[in-house]
């Protein structure tokens, strides 16, 4: 039975899709069967793993036509990683869903059909707090909130946490905050260190120990349709996300030592 994790923040440019793709890729390399669900109309997670969003059957058909998600899933080049793609059509899905019964549970109903086939399902939410994001939070067991190490880091975070609280109260009482992930960290900037301190002071134990550094390879990998661990396993970005995947596994008591893990552990000291 898969653990379903939504990655959400209504702010754009915080490393949300990067985190969804690369957490999924690293869990796959560590031998955990993983599905990325691209619930963002921009479809960046879809193209980021090498799929053409224009030519793919996609999540829109699950939400609007109640299609079986098994027929819409594609394998990626990354070991143990599949994707349920998105499409620009998803922009209109919210309007089409307004008068549907159980409109907030459409994604949950779809994922329940395939949940037993995976260890993890990672949902890449859109940068908004609309009906599709509410669907994602309703379907999820937990939510990861990426926060960039920049001046406006905490701006809008209260609104997102309030939305999560509403979903917990009305739609999904089991939803938990998996943690806050600090992204785009630049060791050279005093401001970045101040943001890390401020976020840890405000949110304490729910902040992940792993911090994702700024890394050119992370920005480069999606243009090749690859996760960072497939693009350059020795890069700082790959090591960050492998450590993040291991931290998720440890928090969920799911650790196991794989052959790939043994090989990649050498990079931890870099």
């Amino acid at each position: 039975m898969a653990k379903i994790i939504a990655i959400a923040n209504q702010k754009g440019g915080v490393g949300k899709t990067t985190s969804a793709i690369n957490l999924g890729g690293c869990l796959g390399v560590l031998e955990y069967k993983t599905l990325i669900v691209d619930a963002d109309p921009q479809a960046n997670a879809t193209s980021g793993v090498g799929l053409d969003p224009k030519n793919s059957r996609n999540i829109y058909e699950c939400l609007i036509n109640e299609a079986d998600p098994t027929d819409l899933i594609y394998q990626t080049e990354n070991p143990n990683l599949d994707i349920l793609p998105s499409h620009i059509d998803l922009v209109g899905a919210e309007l089409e869903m307004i008068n549907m019964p159980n409109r907030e549970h459409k994604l949950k109903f779809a994922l329940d059909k395939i949940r037993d086939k995976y260890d993890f399902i990672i949902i890449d939410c859109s940068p908004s707090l609309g009906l599709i994001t509410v669907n994602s939070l309703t379907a999820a067991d937990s939510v990861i909130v990426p926060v960039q190490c920049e001046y406006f880091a905490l701006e809008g975070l209260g609104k997102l946490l309030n939305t999560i609280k509403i979903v917990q109260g009305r739609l999904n009482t089991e939803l938990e905050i998996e943690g806050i992930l600090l992204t785009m960290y630049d060791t050279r900037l005093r401001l970045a260190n101040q943001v890390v301190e401020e976020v840890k002071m405000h949110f304490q134990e729910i902040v992940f120990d792993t911090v994702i550094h700024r890394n050119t390879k992370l920005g480069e990998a999606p243009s090749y349709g690859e996760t960072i661990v497939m693009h350059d396993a020795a890069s700082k970005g790959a090591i960050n996300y492998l450590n993040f995947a291991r931290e998720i596994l440890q928090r969920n008591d799911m650790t196991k030592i794989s052959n790939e893990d043994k090989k990649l552990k050498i990079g931890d000291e870099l």
Side-chain angles (χ1 to χ4, degrees):
M1 182 74 76
K3 170 145 193 179
I4 303 178
I5 303 175
I7 300 185
N9 193 327
Q10 78 271 26
K11 284 187 70 175
V14 298
K16 184 173 50 58
T17 298
T18 299
S19 295
I21 292 171
N22 293 310
L23 173 59
C26 290
L27 288 169
V29 164
L30 296 174
E31 297 182 1
Y32 292 85
K33 186 72 175 163
T34 304
L35 173 70
I36 295 173
V37 176
D38 191 351
D40 183 349
Q42 295 175 84
N44 289 335
T46 302
S47 58
V49 295
L51 214 64
D52 184 352
K54 295 175 186 172
N55 299 327
S56 311
R57 296 191 66 196
N58 57 76
I59 191 174
Y60 173 88
E61 297 175 44
C62 284
L63 298 175
I64 303 303
N65 302 323
E66 298 184 1
D68 188 334
T70 308
D71 301 329
L72 312 176
I73 289 170
Y74 295 79
Q75 289 184 320
T76 73
E77 297 295 321
N78 195 109
N80 301 307
L81 182 66
D82 295 344
I83 180 126
L84 177 55
S86 184
H87 191 273
I88 191 65
D89 285 351
L90 205 58
V91 169
E94 294 198 358
L95 288 173
E96 294 181 62
M97 292 166 69
I98 282 175
N99 295 317
M100 288 184 176
N102 298 311
R103 62 185 181 184
E104 297 91 353
H105 292 83
K106 293 295 184 184
L107 185 56
K108 176 178 170 53
F109 295 154
L111 296 185
D112 281 348
K113 297 174 184 175
I114 53 171
R115 192 166 183 168
D116 59 348
K117 297 180 180 179
Y118 294 94
D119 297 307
F120 286 95
I121 296 176
I122 311 293
I123 307 174
D124 181 28
C125 299
S126 62
S128 73
L129 295 179
L131 188 53
I132 302 296
T133 299
V134 169
N135 259 266
S136 301
L137 296 175
T138 302
D141 298 311
S142 65
V143 55
I144 292 170
V145 182
V147 173
Q148 81 277 37
C149 297
E150 293 177 359
Y151 182 68
F152 292 114
L154 300 178
E155 187 184 71
L157 200 51
K159 192 172 182 183
L160 173 63
L161 295 175
N162 189 52
T163 300
I164 292 170
K165 193 177 290 185
I166 291 168
V167 171
Q168 286 170 326
R170 299 180 188 175
L171 298 166
N172 183 2
T173 55
E174 304 297 314
L175 181 65
E176 298 176 347
I177 296 177
E178 189 81 23
I180 291 173
L181 175 66
L182 290 159
T183 63
M184 304 182 189
Y185 177 63
D186 190 335
T187 52
R188 299 166 298 178
L189 300 179
R190 184 190 299 174
L191 175 63
N193 293 306
Q194 289 173 343
V195 169
V196 170
E197 288 174 19
E198 190 175 353
V199 171
K200 287 187 173 179
M201 184 180 69
H202 272 80
F203 299 102
Q204 298 174 0
E205 71 278 355
I206 69 166
V207 181
F208 288 105
D209 293 330
T210 306
V211 176
I212 309 300
H213 292 70
R214 281 196 180 276
N215 179 249
T216 53
K217 294 290 184 181
L218 276 175
E220 186 181 283
S223 67
Y224 291 88
E226 295 175 334
T227 63
I228 187 62
V229 76
M230 297 301 289
H231 183 64
D232 187 348
S235 68
K236 188 72 174 175
I239 293 162
N240 285 167
Y241 275 108
L242 280 164
N243 288 336
F244 180 46
R246 291 189 190 110
E247 188 174 352
I248 293 281
L249 294 169
Q250 286 167 359
R251 285 193 177 201
N252 289 280
D253 297 319
M254 292 176 69
T255 48
K256 65 184 179 186
I257 301 296
S258 68
N259 291 330
E260 237 6 87
D261 199 10
K262 288 172 189 170
K263 291 179 204 168
L264 292 163
K265 235 173 181 178
I266 299 165
D268 285 352
E269 304 304 319
L270 296 179

